[in-house]
Amino acid sequence: MPSAAIRAQLQDRLEDLHARHAASGHDGVEKVYDERRGMYPPEEAGDELDRLAIAITTVDGETFAVGDHDVPFSLQSMSKVFSYALALGRHDSDELADTVGVEPSGDAFNSITFDERHHRPFNPMVNAGALATTSLAAGDTPEERLDAILGVMRACAGDQGLHADEETAAAELRAADHNRATAYLMRAEGMIEGDVEELLGLYLRQCSVHVTCSTLSTMAATLANGCVHPTTGDRAVPADRVRDLLSVMYTCGMYDSTGEWAYDVGLPAKSGVSGGILVVVPGKMGIGVWSPGLDAYGNSARGVAICEEISKKLGLHLFATDDEDRLTVEATGD
Ligand code: GLN
């Protein structure tokens, strides 16, 4: 546990961060996503654009949260972390390399482009790659396959009740032509096998799992804690594959602005079009941020700005050595 003084300071800083960003308007917001409407311009958004939550969970399981931290939203692309984690637990690196690469694509998340040299999707964090890793989930029925993915999510969240929101999944499925086209092309190219409609349903249900921002930061804290849940002790990913997961999040987790994110924030992360970002600070903490206004890449605009500030103020950039204002949130023994 951090000391009582550090804990109070951390909560104060989060309150201040939230207040400033809540008042900052919506600069940089180019679009908003809604399951029922798809992407739409911010001018058409109502109060949903003002939603804002920030949560930090330390690797010993204490959560500090501000704003709308108990309002549920869907994981969307953040779910790709957990289907990839499941695949890592079941397949060695050589087997997985036949299915999906670990190379940033430099393209938008839903781009129908492939790594032609290796004849596979570039990485598990873009849609094509996620369809490939999700296709590896084992089970005799779609329910069993979903349960396998949910098992990893639940181990990370310490929440056995986590489930796909079927209304969200149905809405996603009604607007799934782009993913459908991607999946059929992949099957035609021999990159995936089996029933494409079933795979699509499974992938969209994993995207439709609802979490709160506090749950998101707990899931991130589990990843930060070597993929062992801080309080239940459940292991979500084998110890020798944790580095694989975090490396791919670091190089591919923020769509085609991952390089900029790595430069500015310097932490493994994954975003989703719902406006959530899950950030891992290895050995220290997980961060969850949620704000639905998206930038041109499909990342939460406020979310990115907030994470930049947290990384700088807490001195969290993996390669930083010079942050002056850093607040060390580490065990003190008291
Ligand atoms: N369900 C969305 C899709 O696959 C998730 C995309 C995202 O969050 N980038 O299109």
Side-chain angles (χ1 to χ4, degrees), residues 33-327:
Y33 179 76
D34 178 88
E35 286 114 37
R36 278 148 202 89
R37 299 171 64 187
M39 288 290 184
Y40 61 92
E43 304 81 69
E44 292 175 18
D47 294 349
E48 65 268 27
L49 212 44
D50 296 325
R51 295 286 201 188
L52 179 60
I54 313 168
I56 286 180
T57 303
T58 62
V59 288
D60 40 29
E62 185 166 9
T63 297
F64 302 83
V66 290
D68 298 307
H69 60 85
D70 51 4
V71 178
F73 55 91
S74 52
L75 280 174
Q76 298 294 346
S77 272
M78 293 177 282
S79 69
K80 292 167 177 163
V81 169
F82 305 97
S83 49
Y84 182 45
L86 178 68
L88 285 171
R90 294 179 39 86
H91 301 276
D92 66 27
S93 295
D94 288 343
E95 284 167 7
L96 265 187
D98 289 338
T99 303
V100 67
V102 294
E103 209 59 56
S105 68
D107 286 317
F109 66 90
N110 58 359
S111 163
I112 307 189
T113 51
F114 302 99
D115 176 351
E116 298 298 347
R117 192 185 298 265
H118 300 98
H119 198 65
R120 65 188 179 196
F122 278 102
N123 68 71
M125 301 295 141
V126 291
N127 286 12
L131 286 161
T133 52
T134 296
S135 77
L136 297 176
D140 291 334
T141 61
E143 278 63 38
E144 278 181 27
R145 286 147 63 79
L146 179 64
D147 260 351
I149 297 168
L150 284 170
V152 181
M153 293 178 179
R154 288 170 179 160
C156 288
D159 178 354
Q160 298 313 315
L162 228 55
H163 63 279
D165 181 80
E166 293 302 337
E167 214 180 310
T168 304
E172 290 276 331
L173 200 55
R174 284 196 293 277
D177 284 353
H178 201 94
N179 283 320
R180 180 174 282 115
T182 307
Y184 274 107
L185 182 60
M186 287 172 68
R187 191 175 67 176
E189 288 292 321
M191 294 178 188
I192 54 170
E193 293 170 351
D195 184 330
V196 167
E197 294 301 323
E198 187 186 311
L199 172 62
L200 205 54
L202 180 59
Y203 166 70
L204 294 173
R205 285 168 88 199
Q206 81 174 43
C207 286
S208 304
V209 172
H210 279 191
V211 295
T212 64
C213 193
S214 296
T215 304
L216 194 63
S217 74
T218 305
M219 294 167 103
T222 298
L223 303 186
N225 193 37
C227 292
V228 173
H229 188 278
T231 53
T232 67
D234 283 348
R235 172 169 286 290
V237 179
D240 62 342
R241 308 310 299 278
V242 174
R243 71 188 67 184
D244 300 346
L245 181 62
L246 297 185
S247 302
V248 170
M249 290 173 70
Y250 190 75
T251 52
C252 310
M254 299 295 287
Y255 311 133
D256 42 333
S257 73
T258 307
E260 215 169 306
W261 168 274
Y263 185 88
D264 290 329
V265 182
L267 295 164
K270 184 75 200 88
S271 55
V273 284
S274 48
I277 309 178
L278 165 158
V279 190
V280 180
V281 191
K284 294 186 178 163
M285 66 184 81
I287 303 169
V289 184
W290 177 53
S291 171
L294 306 177
D295 64 16
Y297 302 98
N299 294 320
S300 167
R302 272 178 178 167
V304 170
I306 288 170
C307 291
E308 266 183 50
E309 200 175 323
I310 295 179
S311 175
K312 183 145 186 42
K313 290 284 172 64
L314 299 186
L316 301 177
H317 193 299
L318 289 178
F319 308 123
T321 53
D322 62 341
D323 294 301
E324 284 171 12
D325 194 24
R326 74 191 290 163
L327 175 66

